[in-house]
Amino acid sequence: MKYREGRGYENLHKAQFPGVGPYDFPRVRPCRYAGGVEFIPWSEALQTRDRKGKGTHFFLDDYRFIRLWNNIDRYIPILQEFEYVMAPDFSLFADYPIALQIYNHYRCNWVCAYMQDHNINVIPVPNWSTRESFEWCFDGDPVGGAVALSAVGTQQNRISKEAFMEGYDEMLRRLRPDTIIFYGKAPDGCEGNIIEIGQYSDRFKRMRIAPIPGSATASGE
């Protein structure tokens, strides 16, 4: 077997897609979101038996879903059982080298396009870092349809908040999504047709603070 025909050749032996922009990012098709879906993190997806009517997302540390890039065919049958899949968002941290950011955007779009080719309803997840990344970070992303975002970790200080909103406004201008699904709370000032879905961990927080029947808290004492 030739090296390029085996694993490790950046998945080019599996599929190549029409390129967009100077870096040939794979083109992603828009997805329409009908709503009414519970989204669970990919870290829980393999243990979830009943996937019908559910969705999964990748708002996790990259190491938790690198397996999708390394061996995607193994997971395609599982992903096909979900109603929707939010695309993986390999990180575009501002302090990453530009070459790595570009590579991660390529991987995001390649995985998204590959899943779409296997009849999976994939909701794109736009990503950006600095203002300079606007030159390429939306290339290949679809115009219209639904997108998914998370602002978790971007609201700690004024600079990070402003950077998020600048990218958000650019995303609206470039992609014009008809639905914006926020995993967690949408920051103040975000415009558009926004749907907020609770973080999966919130469910367990509510369970932990729920009063035990017959306890002093439950009886109001």
Side-chain angles (χ1 to χ4, degrees):
M1 178 184 291
K2 294 181 180 179
Y3 173 70
R4 69 178 185 175
E5 294 174 349
R7 287 177 57 190
Y9 201 69
E10 304 303 332
N11 287 325
L12 293 179
H13 62 295
K14 294 182 182 295
Q16 297 186 49
F17 302 99
V20 178
Y23 301 109
D24 287 334
F25 295 115
R27 184 184 298 278
V28 174
R29 299 190 296 272
C31 175
R32 304 296 175 184
Y33 178 65
V37 174
E38 176 192 8
F39 284 89
I40 64 175
W42 174 246
S43 56
E44 303 289 333
L46 298 180
Q47 290 76 40
T48 300
R49 294 182 179 274
D50 182 12
R51 299 171 182 131
K52 185 177 181 180
K54 292 185 173 66
T56 189
H57 70 82
F58 297 88
F59 292 121
L60 305 162
D61 293 328
D62 290 17
Y63 77 89
R64 292 185 178 273
F65 56 85
I66 189 65
R67 67 180 78 177
L68 210 63
W69 173 254
N70 292 336
N71 194 9
I72 190 169
D73 288 332
R74 177 180 178 183
Y75 302 104
I76 286 294
I78 297 171
L79 292 163
Q80 288 173 330
E81 295 182 23
F82 285 97
E83 189 75 20
Y84 294 96
V85 174
M86 293 181 178
D89 59 331
F90 294 100
S91 298
L92 303 187
F93 292 127
D95 57 353
Y96 275 7
I98 299 300
L100 181 55
Q101 294 184 43
I102 291 172
Y103 175 60
N104 277 352
H105 181 56
Y106 174 87
R107 293 198 293 175
C108 290
N109 282 33
W110 188 94
V111 171
C112 192
Y114 193 78
M115 289 193 293
Q116 288 183 331
D117 270 8
H118 286 77
N119 300 314
I120 296 170
N121 292 323
V122 186
I123 301 172
V125 178
N127 207 350
W128 57 86
S129 58
T130 62
R131 182 180 303 172
E132 287 71 26
S133 73
F134 300 167
E135 296 179 6
W136 50 264
C137 70
F138 301 112
D139 287 352
D141 292 347
V143 175
V147 299
L149 297 171
S150 175
V152 174
T154 67
Q155 305 297 299
Q156 294 99 332
N157 56 65
R158 179 182 59 82
I159 294 176
S160 63
K161 289 180 180 179
E162 291 177 353
F164 178 86
M165 287 306 305
E166 187 174 23
Y168 183 85
D169 291 340
E170 183 70 11
M171 182 274 297
L172 288 181
R173 186 181 71 82
R174 296 274 293 273
L175 304 184
R176 302 191 297 277
D178 55 43
T179 305
I180 304 158
I181 307 169
F182 262 95
Y183 184 69
K185 182 174 174 53
D188 293 338
C190 288
E191 298 181 351
N193 178 29
I194 294 173
I195 298 174
E196 294 180 344
I197 59 174
Q199 292 178 248
Y200 193 69
S201 59
D202 291 345
R203 187 173 68 172
F204 298 101
K205 290 177 183 177
R206 289 193 296 268
M207 289 172 61
R208 286 197 296 268
I209 64 175
I212 300 173
S215 66
T217 304
S219 63
E221 295 177 6

